[in-house]
Amino acid sequence: MNKLFWKALKVAPVLFAASLFAASGASAQAVNDTLQQINNYQTQDQNDSLSQVTNVNQLRDVSPTDWAYEALRSLVDRYGCIAGFPNQTYRGSQALTRYEFAAGLNSCLNQIERLIASSEAVSQEDLDTINRLTQEFEAELATLGGRVDELESRTAILEDNQFSTTTKLNGEVIFTIADVFGDEVGNIDSVSDAQTTFSDRVRLNFDTSFYGEDRLRTRLEAGNFEQLDGDVTGTASTRLGHDAGGDNDIEVSDLHYRFPLNDRIRGWVGTAGLDLDDIFDVANPMLESSGSGALSRFSRRNPLLFRGTEGAGAGVNLELIEDKLGVNALYLANDANDPGNGEGLFNGSFSAGGQVVFSPFEALEVSATYVRNFQSGDDVDQAGDTVGLFEDIDNDVNTPDVLTEGFAAQPFGETDTTANKIGAGVTFDLNERMIIAGWGGFSDVTGLVDGNDNNLDGEIWTWGANVSFLDLGREGSKLSIAGGMLPKFISDDAVNENQNGLQEDRDTSYLVEALYSFPVNDNIAITPGAYVVFNPNHDEDNDNVYVGVIRTTFKF
């Protein structure tokens, strides 16, 4: 009996090593969702692939002082059925299940059978040990074989009927009920007459990978939202964070390619929908998503920094210190496809900038961002469409509407404008169930008047903060409270009493929001919430505007 025990002990390490290779299938529960389980099986196989060991000294975590060293060395030298992980480790102290042990035993038996078939020496004593182990784990080996056969059969069916060998389809559908409440903002006195709306947005993402670590995203999008902005509420501050109009007409809203250059550098290039928040870290993880984050447009991310000229161009993410320090950079233009004078990739409106992201420890992340921005006269919106009231002063549909409140949107009217934008963000995980985030931004803006001879200058400021409580009442739920100051323009050149002169924002406008995201299951979430805009368009003479929302998000 002692001999049997020690022989089994010699064989056990190799079985353990082999079992790790098969663990994703062997230790899995019964196949309930075939597609998901096979995907996990394939992913584990790619990430934890084992490589054959020809010398026990190849394993970095095995030393001659280890109690099993001689057993490992003997198995490598005599049978060659030891496998190590890609990082040259063996992980000999890791626990294993009986199914995993059976998988390893099966692998070693196959190797020894090959040795026997090739007439290489195998002692009778070893054969007796193997026979007894085979009998001991006969049931587990049979079960394992059945599971592998079933997976192979189902995989064959999926391969015969798959959509694509390189592309995955994922989708998101949003249903939103919304209403606004308030009185007069500017000369818009119909806020109280606004009706309850029921709208939708649909996104289909086709994510294609050509060699496993890259992604080509093609997004089809449609929606039928009527924006809650100046025509309805008197201010762009009331816009929803996920509105998409167009009478549900389908368009290609995103087309960009993300690819690794090496383990530390990732590149981006795109012709549509490549945005600042794709390449930069917006430091607002709980609220940045349009489908599961903030309900308002303002609370999703810093509008001064991350809602600018964007759409086509390139970017790069560089990881200097793993999980600690990274640098991001980009160049984007919104009319890159227009060959006209003053447009195109390099002669029209653009954003160019860099970002440093620092995480001194796992719970804290800090970022600093700089963006150099130019917007031609017909593209100017320095506030990311989060503030402003445009009115048809002359009652002429052929002339542009005039900005009469909320001057951060067009500080100098429809004039070519340059901006140097600086901002910072911070995210702090207090614990597993409470996350705090905040950001602030400043922009030095210049209006290029009369061929740059009479430039006008000013500043735009904004900030925001939020706190989220996770798993409150149900696992996967989220209660978030957010608030901040909407982009505000101030200037020494302003002449507020002159309606035709340069004006600055006289008062201060704030937005406060609360929402609760409740997951019905893994694919459906309902998010009721509300937000209020105080002193809309930075004018305390305006009445507050309230927005109530119920958003339902379906993911598949």
Side-chain angles (χ1 to χ4, degrees), residues 123-161:
S123 68
Q124 184 61 43
E125 192 176 7
D126 287 341
L127 291 175
D128 292 341
T129 300
I130 292 168
N131 287 333
R132 294 190 186 189
L133 287 171
T134 304
Q135 294 174 5
E136 172 70 18
F137 288 91
E138 183 177 3
E140 285 83 357
L141 289 170
T143 301
L144 177 64
R147 290 187 174 186
V148 172
D149 290 342
E150 183 180 9
L151 283 174
E152 288 179 347
S153 175
R154 293 174 181 255
T155 301
I157 294 174
L158 289 173
E159 287 178 346
D160 291 339
N161 298 276

Side-chain angles (χ1 to χ4, degrees), residues 341-415:
N341 185 34
E343 302 294 348
L345 182 60
F346 299 111
N347 202 31
S349 301
F350 72 88
S351 292
Q355 180 183 60
V356 177
V357 182
F358 177 54
S359 180
F361 51 92
E362 186 176 359
L364 178 64
E365 182 178 278
V366 181
S367 64
T369 307
Y370 168 76
V371 176
R372 171 68 174 179
N373 176 245
F374 169 76
Q375 295 179 345
S376 58
D378 54 350
D379 290 333
V380 176
D381 184 357
Q382 292 290 323
D385 208 12
T386 59
V387 69
L389 172 62
F390 291 85
E391 298 182 18
D392 186 6
I393 300 297
D394 56 9
N395 295 318
D396 186 351
V397 297
N398 296 316
T399 60
D401 292 344
V402 177
L403 180 67
T404 58
E405 290 185 356
F407 301 105
Q410 291 183 356
F412 317 104
E414 291 193 334
T415 300

Side-chain angles (χ1 to χ4, degrees), residues 363 428-435 468-470:
F428 183 49
D429 298 355
L430 286 179
N431 51 52
E432 293 181 353
R433 295 195 173 185
M434 186 176 179
I435 299 176
S468 296
F469 304 90
L470 309 182

Side-chain angles (χ1 to χ4, degrees), residues 188-201:
I188 305 296
D189 56 3
S190 60
V191 179
S192 59
D193 297 330
Q195 303 299 307
T196 302
T197 60
F198 187 27
S199 309
D200 69 78
R201 190 193 73 184

Side-chain angles (χ1 to χ4, degrees), residues 22 30 181 215 248 255 365 370 464 521:
F181 310 91
R215 186 193 73 184
N248 276 325
L255 186 59
E365 182 178 278
Y370 168 76
N521 53 40

